[in-house]
């Protein structure tokens, strides 16, 4: 890990630490992720309305975020294998402590893989039990254009997230609307098979430390 240097952003409560993971830390984390994906394969979830996501997903930790005809929720098992999710890579727990810290520890890590043409529409992260706890995001591989605006709607701001960047939705930005407009394909060679990997750490359940 290199220095943890936060930069100021235009959105209060949206926190950004560019380049936290250097090239070797990024490669190690990609290895840790792909090893765990052998036990919890990426799959393409459906929206509650029955449309497939363009992003492929999996989860690590006691709880994982899933979406299907039954709605959005956290659950302890992979929807296709029925097995418990693998553990959260320890380096991500260290990153949580070094950036957002606080009274809660993450118990869920959502894995999003963007291959050709994948994107993510504007959404709010609001399926967690404690909406006071932050959500921390790590970007790996191809760069992406990230859009963020207030929970109530209105103007949005777009910024680029590069491989190794870490950002968080905290405090007044916890329920901000955000999404990925596009991935800059081929801007990195980090991910086997290409694309962008995003890891979001959440305190999803009710357990306090
Ligand atoms: C992504 N990120 O970067 C999608 N959610 O691929 C998110 O949806 C997100 O970046 C909560 C907090 C930070 C995020
Ligand atoms: Fe999100």
């Amino acid at each position: 890990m290199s220095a943890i240097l936060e930069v100021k952003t235009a959105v209060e409560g949206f926190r950004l630490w560019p380049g936290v993971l250097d090239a070797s830390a990024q490669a190690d984390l990609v290895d840790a992720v792909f090893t765990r994906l052998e036990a919890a394969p990426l799959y393409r979830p459906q929206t509650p309305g029955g449309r497939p996501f363009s992003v492929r997903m999996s989860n690590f930790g006691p709880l994982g975020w899933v979406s299907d005809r039954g709605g959005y929720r956290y659950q302890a098992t992979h929807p296709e294998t029925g097995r418990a999710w693998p553990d959260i890579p320890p380096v991500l727990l260290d990153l949580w402590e070094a950036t957002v810290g606080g009274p809660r520890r993450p118990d869920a890590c959502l894995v999003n893989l963007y291959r050709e043409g994948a994107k993510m529409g504007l959404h709010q992260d609001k399926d967690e039990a404690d909406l006071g706890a932050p959500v921390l995001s790590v970007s790996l591989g191809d760069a992406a254009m990230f859009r963020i605006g207030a929970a109530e709607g209105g103007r949005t701001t777009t910024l680029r997230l590069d491989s190794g960047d870490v950002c968080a939705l905290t405090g007044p930005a916890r329920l901000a609307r955000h999404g990925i407009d596009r991935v800059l394909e081929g801007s990195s060679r980090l991910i086997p098979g290409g694309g962008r990997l995003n890891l979001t750490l959440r305190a999803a359940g009710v357990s306090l430390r």
Side-chain angles (χ1 to χ4, degrees):
M1 220 188 276
S2 354
I4 307 264
L5 256 188
E6 183 172 355
V7 300
K8 196 159 173 49
T9 70
V11 182
E12 196 193 347
F14 173 72
R15 304 177 61 187
L16 177 62
W17 298 267
V20 167
L21 299 176
D22 59 23
S24 87
Q26 292 174 39
D28 289 349
L29 182 52
V30 168
D31 276 352
V33 167
F34 276 81
T35 300
R36 286 165 175 77
L37 290 176
E38 288 170 23
L42 291 161
Y43 67 100
R44 194 181 292 253
Q46 291 201 350
T47 64
R51 287 164 51 99
F53 280 77
S54 62
V55 173
R56 294 198 290 151
M57 296 185 184
S58 188
N59 290 275
F60 305 143
L63 291 173
W65 186 87
V66 301
S67 172
D68 59 22
R69 287 279 190 182
Y72 302 142
R73 64 190 177 278
Y74 283 92
Q75 66 179 42
T77 54
H78 190 293
E80 293 185 352
T81 68
R83 294 169 59 189
W85 306 104
D87 68 314
I88 298 175
V91 64
L92 292 176
L93 302 177
D94 295 344
L95 211 46
W96 175 280
E97 292 303 325
T99 52
V100 292
R104 299 293 307 272
R105 270 185 217 283
D107 56 10
C109 175
L110 174 62
V111 180
N112 290 139
L113 180 68
Y114 297 73
R115 299 269 202 216
E116 50 291 321
K119 52 193 173 182
M120 188 174 295
L122 276 186
H123 65 275
Q124 294 173 290
D125 287 38
K126 55 180 182 188
D127 302 314
E128 298 73 31
D130 175 5
L131 294 176
V135 180
L136 187 74
S137 154
V138 180
S139 292
L140 293 165
D142 285 347
M145 301 312 292
F146 178 81
R147 184 206 292 258
I148 181 167
E152 309 76 45
R155 200 177 65 83
T156 59
T157 301
T158 299
L159 56 114
R160 175 176 159 142
L161 294 177
D162 282 299
S163 191
D165 290 356
V166 175
C167 66
L169 298 179
T170 73
R174 178 60 181 78
L175 290 177
R177 295 178 311 135
H178 59 281
I180 296 292
D181 285 345
R182 71 189 180 97
V183 172
L184 308 181
E185 274 166 41
S187 53
S188 158
R189 297 179 50 186
L190 181 68
I191 307 298
R196 172 173 185 265
L197 193 58
N198 176 253
L199 308 168
T200 45
L201 288 171
R202 299 109 189 287
V206 292
S207 64
L208 286 163
R209 73 159 83 177

